[in-house]
């Protein structure tokens, strides 16, 4: 799928897939939300508003209150591409989130996923 099509998709349409992936592996919606809040700086109210407004992926990340500085510690492969090598900034942010959800689904501890000291 071309990047511009991904950017135009609503975050609201993608979010249930993140939750379903986590729940299939015994994780929770709350953990998915914690990851999103950690990465983007949204709180529950701000996040719910983004879903209600059906913002695009591009708008969701552009309007994020504070992207976590530690997101650059996220390394690894998503969809056959190393996230740390993605040059396009928005695609890198999207893939950071994808990678964190993958780690959650693989059973990694939340403190490791959230790059806690």
């Amino acid at each position: 799928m071309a990047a511009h099509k991904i950017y135009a998709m609503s975050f609201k349409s993608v979010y249930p897939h993140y939750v379903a992936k986590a729940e299939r592996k015994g994780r929770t919606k709350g953990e998915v939300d914690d990851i999103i809040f950690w990465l983007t700086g949204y709180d529950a109210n701000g996040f719910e508003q983004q879903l209600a407004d059906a913002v695009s992926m591009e708008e969701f990340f552009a309007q994020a209150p504070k992207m976590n500085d530690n997101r650059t510690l996220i390394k690894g492969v998503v969809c056959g591409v190393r996230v740390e090598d993605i040059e396009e900034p928005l695609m890198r942010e999207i893939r950071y989130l994808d990678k964190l959800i993958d780690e959650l689904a693989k059973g990694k501890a939340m403190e490791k996923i959230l790059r806690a000291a």
Side-chain angles (χ1 to χ4, degrees):
M1 180 180 290
H4 67 280
K5 288 184 181 179
I6 293 171
Y7 300 164
M9 292 175 66
S10 73
F11 188 85
K12 181 180 181 175
S13 71
V14 176
Y15 174 66
H17 297 283
Y18 290 139
V19 173
K21 182 174 189 170
E23 289 179 341
R24 277 193 307 272
K25 299 295 185 170
R27 303 306 288 258
T28 68
K29 176 184 175 293
E31 288 173 311
V32 171
D33 291 353
D34 288 346
I35 287 169
I36 292 169
F37 300 165
W38 176 87
L39 181 64
T40 63
Y42 284 110
D43 61 17
N45 291 333
F47 180 61
E48 288 300 322
Q49 189 62 54
Q50 292 293 329
L51 294 177
D53 292 346
V55 297
S56 68
M57 293 291 281
E58 184 172 21
E59 293 167 321
F60 181 79
F61 285 99
Q63 296 171 12
K66 170 86 171 86
M67 294 301 293
N68 194 302
D69 292 336
N70 285 341
R71 71 190 185 285
T72 58
L73 300 175
I74 302 167
K75 310 281 185 211
V77 177
V78 174
C79 299
V81 178
R82 288 200 137 308
V83 293
E84 61 269 28
D85 294 342
I86 298 172
E87 292 186 20
E88 203 291 306
L90 178 56
M91 183 55 73
R92 188 173 48 246
E93 302 297 356
I94 292 168
R95 294 303 184 202
Y96 281 152
L97 180 53
D98 291 344
K99 182 65 180 167
L100 295 175
I101 300 301
D102 283 353
E103 290 177 358
L104 180 68
K106 289 179 180 170
K108 199 168 190 180
M110 283 298 286
E111 51 273 4
K112 297 228 183 248
I113 295 169
L114 301 182
R115 292 1 190 217

